[in-house]
Amino acid sequence: MTGSAQRPLLFLDVDGPLIPFGATPQQRPDGYPTYRTGAAAPGPAELNPLLSRIDPALGPRLTALGCDLVWATTWMDEANECIAPWLGLPELPVLAWPEPVYEDPLDWRDGLHWKTRHLVDRAAGRTFVWIDDEITGTDRAWVAAHHPGTALLHRVDPAQGLTDADFAALGAWLRANR
């Protein structure tokens, strides 16, 4: 196979990885940095004050990872309406969550994230990266046992959002697993 069929999928959450939140005043005494885009007129992103916490430079950095980006967020289509233009990204596929969100009581008891099964189903054996702030060891163990391909479940500190260290770890893993 050639082209994007060989590229890893990158499932991307918004709240936490792209929009940092939850830092204490001691962690961020000056608050979160805010950013603007080069857009001439305000768009949907400018109407939500939290979106100004998203560094537009993350878009090119995510693209440079060489993965097929997929929104894996409860923002659903709003991620394409608000966040993709802010980051300079094209419209991306959106992982559709079942309505209502299906949670197996055993998963909940064992601490499996409600997204985990759906991500593995969508990956369908392809190599993938999942960037989220709610990933646990339970999710990693479940994916290792149920996904026939290679996967990296990368937890981001929601108080920081994606950092240089995260991109270094993602890049190193992707170079080793292509």
Side-chain angles (χ1 to χ4, degrees):
M1 283 191 259
T2 61
S4 66
Q6 290 185 344
R7 289 166 44 113
L9 293 166
L10 191 152
F11 296 115
L12 182 60
D13 185 33
V14 170
D15 295 312
L18 297 180
I19 301 175
F21 68 90
T24 65
Q26 293 78 19
Q27 290 172 303
R28 290 214 182 249
D30 297 326
Y32 285 98
T34 58
Y35 304 90
R36 296 178 55 97
T37 65
E46 288 86 353
L47 302 177
N48 182 327
L50 289 181
L51 295 182
S52 67
R53 291 184 184 178
I54 301 174
D55 181 354
L58 293 175
R61 293 185 81 182
L62 288 164
T63 301
L65 291 172
C67 298
D68 291 338
L69 302 175
V70 178
W71 293 118
T73 174
T74 56
W75 281 70
M76 303 293 292
D77 291 323
E78 287 181 274
N80 278 323
E81 295 166 18
C82 300
I83 298 166
W86 183 269
L87 292 172
L89 296 174
E91 186 172 310
L92 302 176
V94 176
L95 192 61
W97 309 116
E99 291 285 336
V101 171
Y102 170 75
E103 283 191 68
D104 184 315
L106 294 176
D107 290 350
W108 184 82
R109 183 197 72 203
D110 293 338
L112 188 68
H113 195 287
W114 63 268
K115 292 180 182 178
T116 307
R117 288 179 183 268
H118 306 294
L119 294 169
V120 168
D121 287 347
R122 172 61 174 81
R126 273 176 74 178
T127 296
F128 76 87
V129 174
W130 175 22
I131 299 174
D132 204 304
D133 61 306
E134 297 180 341
I135 294 168
T136 67
T138 301
D139 301 302
R140 289 184 181 96
W142 194 91
V143 170
H146 295 90
H147 180 62
T150 306
L152 171 65
L153 280 63
H154 185 80
R155 185 186 180 281
V156 171
D157 178 354
Q160 299 297 316
L162 280 166
T163 64
D164 291 342
D166 293 311
F167 278 100
L170 294 165
W173 187 88
L174 286 162
R175 283 188 298 278
N177 290 283
R178 289 200 192 252

